[in-house]
Amino acid sequence: PLVRPFGEVPGPRGKFALPYIGTMLFSNSIGELKNFEFHRFAAHVQQLYGDFVKLRIKDKWNIFVFHPDIAREIFKINIKNPYRPGVGVFREYSKNRKQYPSLANLNGEEWAKLRRPTQELMLRPAAVSAYVSILARVADDFVELYKHGGFVDDLRQQLLRYVTESTGMLCFNKRFGCIEGGSILDIKYLEDIFDATDKDVRSFGLQLYRLFPTPLYRKFERAADHLFGIADVAIVDAIQTLETARAEGRLEEYLQGPHLLYALLSHPKMTGEMVERVLMDLFVAGVESTSSVLTFLWYELARNPEKQKILQQEITSVCGNADITKESLSEMPYLKACIKEILRLYPPTAPGSFVRLEKDAVISGYEIPTGTEILIFTQHMCENEQFFSHPDKFLPERFLRSNNPLTSTIRNTHPSATLPFGFGPRSCIGQRFAELEIQIITAKFFQQLDVSLPEGSSGKLERIFRIFSAPKDKVSIVIKRRS
Ligand code: HEM
């Protein structure tokens, strides 16, 4: 087939394609720069130029992709060391504190050196499913708080406690007491880290903190110092435990349990400072994302009582009032479909995935040169009627493997249109853990309790588009014992 040159890829031309100012002029010309919102801007670009568009951002060429078939072509390109621009404020902090750089800020061999050993432990199903009973105990404590029902004013804040406590068990093998409150691990500092990181990413490279400690940097530094202080203590404790176990000939016992911390510390290719860094990366990356996804999920279950009922019937038929286990979770397809559907209805990363080409490639019939940066707008695909009928509705049935007539009319036919965890070698390292965390608390909670919305609330939630999308306003729910 005919391969067309890069110059022919549709997109703004002339002055609108100049380095640095081109996209700004273009954006002004379509009246989108006021309250600039990237997803609205992108929707405009798609309307004007179609599903495969070329744009200048700063001095680089970017390609915007809006169709899952083109996304599928891109997934097939072998990218060995996927490049990510990283987060400046993290980089500055690691430099000032003379720490090992974070996973998100590393590229090439340096990134692979930290990623490989961690991935072996984080993406192996058996390693993660060993956490089921640990997470089930954390979930029990959370459910206990609501066993008589009640009103939750700010659901995300409450779920953040469960997620922080669970992630604390993953990273530090320690219960911090976040659910009961009064923990030494202050959740406020995690929020400060997300907030500072988000503002930094939005500042389009204006990194004033490299010149002097700006308020944003100071906020980040205070929060990171607090969290690293906690990590330091946990790691010193773990080293001590391992040494004692080794001296007593019980080392194997520790390494067989679901103990990421011990396994990393004993890994021949990891140093203590690498372990500390990667655990902090997991901690910071895992909490914001998972708590927002859970909030969206429970809100939609409250808004769609008939779906909530189907889920509850599934949970009860699989395990009655008994504990949730690895085996029982494997028999809950509706629960998994609800999670997939929530990740479609509220795509966690806007706009979607990012690729920088390591070699020239042919995509969508055009020659695309090395170094081109490609943005795959899965958010737009997930919200597009062309790929999902009734895109604004919460319809978990789309993701069921079933032949019932409803499923076949709304079925998800485009697996590449929803990529909540990214794809390829740099996809989310915490995917399996996140899924397990969400499954366990949801199964445990709805096993015993019903949720509904307070009077007056309805409609799909509005989002703010941070690094991970989050509900724009507080989400409240009413909890009752299951009848
Ligand atoms: C539902 C919750 C979550 C979602 C939707 C999510 C999504 C993502 C996405 C889209 C990426 C970027 C992939 C890319 O750059 O192409 C990512 C990266 C990452 N995620 Fe997650 N994530 C979630 C939970 C977690 C959890 C629980 C952890 C840790 C326990 C975690 C740790 C990380 C780390 C460390 C990276 C960076 C990986 C690297 O650069 O090599 N995430 N995540």
Side-chain angles (χ1 to χ4, degrees):
L2 181 71
V3 176
R4 282 169 291 179
F6 186 63
E8 287 184 17
V9 177
R13 295 181 188 276
K15 68 177 179 189
F16 296 143
L18 288 172
Y20 293 99
I21 55 165
T23 295
M24 200 171 71
L25 293 174
F26 168 65
S27 184
N28 265 336
S29 77
I30 55 176
E32 280 289 322
L33 207 60
K34 256 190 289 156
N35 298 329
F36 185 82
E37 283 187 70
F38 196 54
H39 64 291
R40 286 190 209 286
F41 169 72
H44 234 102
V45 168
Q46 182 186 24
Q47 253 174 20
L48 290 172
Y49 299 105
D51 290 335
F52 192 74
V53 184
K54 182 179 78 174
L55 268 145
R56 274 270 207 204
I57 297 197
K58 292 192 191 163
D59 57 338
K60 293 203 179 72
W61 282 116
N62 276 241
I63 294 282
F64 285 13
V65 171
F66 297 97
H67 199 292
D69 291 345
I70 309 177
R72 200 173 310 151
E73 284 182 52
I74 297 168
F75 306 150
K76 290 190 186 141
I77 301 173
N78 179 19
I79 309 266
K80 198 164 155 259
N81 287 316
Y83 170 85
R84 294 290 177 273
V87 183
V89 68
F90 264 92
R91 196 174 292 126
E92 189 67 14
Y93 177 81
S94 309
K95 193 179 88 197
N96 292 343
R97 291 280 181 267
K98 300 191 174 34
Q99 287 174 345
Y100 205 89
S102 79
L103 193 64
N105 276 330
L106 287 171
N107 282 303
E109 238 339 281
E110 288 276 282
W111 163 77
K113 212 166 94 186
L114 198 56
R115 167 99 189 191
R116 248 183 255 125
T118 316
Q119 175 170 312
E120 281 166 25
L121 298 162
M122 289 287 296
L123 287 177
R124 221 169 10 103
V128 175
S129 62
Y131 278 94
V132 171
S133 59
I134 290 178
L135 291 182
R137 297 296 73 76
V138 178
D140 282 341
D141 290 353
F142 185 85
V143 175
E144 177 71 18
L145 293 181
Y146 301 101
K147 68 177 179 194
H148 302 300
F151 175 75
V152 176
D153 179 46
D154 187 345
L155 179 62
R156 190 171 166 279
Q157 272 303 319
Q158 296 310 311
L159 287 167
L160 199 54
R161 292 166 182 269
Y162 160 76
V163 174
T164 310
E165 189 76 359
S166 307
T167 320
M169 276 310 290
L170 171 77
C171 296
F172 305 116
N173 230 30
K174 202 167 178 157
R175 291 291 303 257
F176 284 104
C178 299
I179 291 176
E180 303 76 28
S183 164
I184 52 154
L185 198 165
D186 192 338
I187 294 179
K188 172 186 164 304
Y189 287 119
L190 275 169
E191 298 265 52
D192 284 352
I193 290 206
F194 312 144
D195 214 51
T197 308
D198 188 61
K199 291 207 172 83
D200 186 36
V201 170
R202 276 168 197 280
S203 71
F204 290 101
L206 191 76
Q207 300 174 340
L208 289 178
Y209 49 77
R210 293 176 67 181
L211 307 174
F212 62 94
T214 58
L216 177 137
Y217 181 77
R218 279 209 226 98
K219 178 164 148 177
F220 183 94
E221 186 179 62
R222 219 175 17 250
D225 282 349
H226 172 79
L227 294 177
F228 273 102
I230 288 173
D232 271 344
V233 174
I235 287 171
V236 169
D237 276 359
I239 293 174
Q240 188 63 51
T241 308
L242 284 183
E243 276 170 9
T244 312
R246 186 174 287 128
E248 294 170 358
R250 292 186 297 113
L251 193 58
E252 277 308 300
E253 196 183 301
Y254 277 88
L255 300 184
Q256 267 157 22
H259 302 317
L260 179 69
L261 172 59
Y262 296 139
L264 285 174
L265 277 173
S266 318
H267 198 288
K269 295 201 172 142
M270 296 288 277
T271 62
E273 61 163 2
M274 285 163 85
V275 174
E276 179 167 22
R277 165 44 80 181
V278 91
L279 292 175
M280 285 307 294
D281 289 342
L282 296 176
F283 203 70
V284 170
V287 171
E288 160 100 335
S289 47
T290 313
S291 54
S292 292
V293 171
L294 264 169
T295 309
F296 289 129
L297 175 62
W298 290 20
Y299 174 83
E300 287 296 330
L301 287 169
R303 186 159 88 96
N304 295 277
E306 69 295 351
K307 308 290 177 203
Q308 188 181 151
K309 240 266 111 79
I310 301 175
L311 176 65
Q312 287 171 322
Q313 277 161 359
E314 176 177 91
I315 301 166
T316 305
S317 75
V318 173
C319 54
N321 283 325
D323 199 8
I324 304 292
T325 61
K326 187 174 112 193
E327 291 71 30
S328 56
L329 286 176
S330 71
E331 290 170 46
M332 295 187 193
Y334 198 76
L335 172 62
K336 288 170 195 158
C338 287
I339 298 171
K340 286 199 175 122
E341 174 66 345
I342 214 68
L343 291 166
R344 181 205 63 82
L345 188 61
Y346 297 95
T349 48
S353 291
F354 171 87
V355 179
R356 180 192 274 185
L357 289 186
E358 286 175 351
K359 284 193 218 133
D360 296 354
V362 173
I363 307 170
S364 191
Y366 294 95
E367 276 170 14
I368 311 295
T370 311
T372 305
E373 301 197 338
I374 304 177
L375 286 168
I376 303 172
F377 284 81
T378 36
Q379 183 201 353
H380 290 241
M381 300 175 200
C382 288
E383 291 167 358
N384 190 334
E385 183 106 57
Q386 196 188 339
F387 309 124
F388 297 97
S389 53
H390 311 292
D392 270 346
K393 291 204 170 127
F394 176 65
L395 296 171
E397 289 77 7
R398 301 181 202 276
F399 291 95
L400 283 181
R401 260 191 243 133
S402 145
N403 297 326
N404 84 44
L406 173 65
T407 310
S408 60
T409 54
I410 57 158
R411 230 183 115 58
N412 164 42
T413 46
H414 275 281
S416 330
T418 60
L419 287 168
F421 296 98
F423 68 96
R426 200 146 190 170
S427 68
C428 176
I429 203 169
Q431 171 170 357
R432 289 187 190 281
F433 187 76
E435 287 168 344
L436 198 65
E437 261 182 301
I438 298 173
Q439 288 165 12
I440 290 178
I441 187 70
T442 305
K444 287 239 164 216
F445 198 84
F446 288 88
Q447 186 179 31
Q448 294 190 33
L449 301 161
D450 280 327
V451 298
S452 57
L453 297 180
E455 297 244 332
S457 43
S458 67
K460 189 178 161 185
L461 284 176
E462 281 201 52
R463 288 160 287 170
I464 41 168
F465 296 98
R466 312 192 346 155
I467 293 177
F468 288 103
S469 325
K472 180 159 166 269
D473 302 309
K474 235 171 29 177
V475 174
S476 307
I477 55 164
V478 178
I479 302 172
K480 291 206 179 85
R481 278 207 73 77
R482 241 179 99 182
S483 40

